[in-house]
Amino acid sequence: MNIEIRKGDITKVHADAIVNAANSKLLGGGGVDGAIHRAAGKQLLAECKQLRETTLPDGLPAGGAVATKGYDLPATWVIHTVGPVFAKKTDRSDVLASCYRESLRVADEIGAVSVAFPAVSAGIYGWPIDDAARIAVRTVLAADTSVDTVVFVPFSDAAEQAFRDALAENS
């Protein structure tokens, strides 16, 4: 598997699929989720509402993943995953790792060979970026997947460095 790190805006990445750090309601929000919904256009929200009315009436659980079309994005697909909220007293690392595993499983189902990930849970959900990057890189490297290229798309300089350090530690 080829792993790349490209600091920037995930909504501008050309990949078969980009991963949305969504909330369980799948109806847009702040951060990466809001940016993806704005860039994809109204059709994305309509498809997410349809998912909520049919297969996901209770929303998408943390650690799960589901795909929609990419609409106005350069990516063909959006894979939505719900990261856990960081808690100092409860280890939710397995749920965060599941976000990456499940996103890659869904990528395999839709035939995506290139997938771009944000730093899931490292924004408003408060996960420390060094730990979030370590979990992301380790999980992706260990995944049983047909995905050929994974691009981590951190938004800040600190997040970019955390992903570069995590990749160096695991190479």
Side-chain angles (χ1 to χ4, degrees):
M1 176 187 298
N2 179 36
I3 295 184
E4 300 174 19
I5 300 166
R6 281 191 238 151
K7 180 185 155 207
D9 180 350
I10 198 164
T11 68
K12 300 198 181 327
V13 173
H14 291 266
D16 294 332
I18 63 169
V19 175
N20 179 18
N23 61 53
S24 64
K25 294 178 183 178
L26 295 178
L27 302 178
V32 170
D33 192 18
I36 287 173
H37 272 267
R38 284 188 298 277
K42 293 178 183 179
Q43 305 97 320
L44 178 60
L45 180 58
E47 186 174 354
C48 287
K49 284 181 178 178
Q50 184 178 29
L51 282 171
R52 287 299 310 277
E53 292 169 2
T54 56
T55 58
L56 295 168
D58 298 323
L60 183 64
V66 65
T68 62
K69 294 177 184 170
Y71 299 102
D72 294 339
L73 292 162
T76 305
W77 301 96
V78 176
I79 299 172
H80 307 266
T81 192
V82 179
V85 175
F86 179 75
K88 289 182 181 179
K89 295 183 180 183
T90 306
D91 184 7
R92 298 180 179 153
S93 299
D94 58 330
V95 180
L96 183 54
S98 180
C99 292
Y100 291 92
R101 275 193 307 274
E102 286 297 299
S103 293
L104 291 171
R105 180 190 60 77
V106 169
D108 287 340
E109 286 179 359
I110 60 177
V113 294
S114 60
V115 178
F117 284 97
V120 177
S121 287
I124 196 162
Y125 285 5
W127 208 283
I129 188 59
D130 291 338
D131 194 43
R134 181 186 55 78
I135 292 168
V137 169
R138 284 186 183 168
T139 303
V140 165
L141 286 171
D144 181 16
T145 181
S146 298
V147 171
D148 179 63
T149 301
V150 167
V151 182
F152 290 111
V153 188
F155 193 72
S156 69
D157 291 339
E160 178 185 19
Q161 191 59 54
F163 274 92
R164 291 196 184 284
D165 292 346
L167 187 56
E169 288 172 15
N170 289 281
S171 294

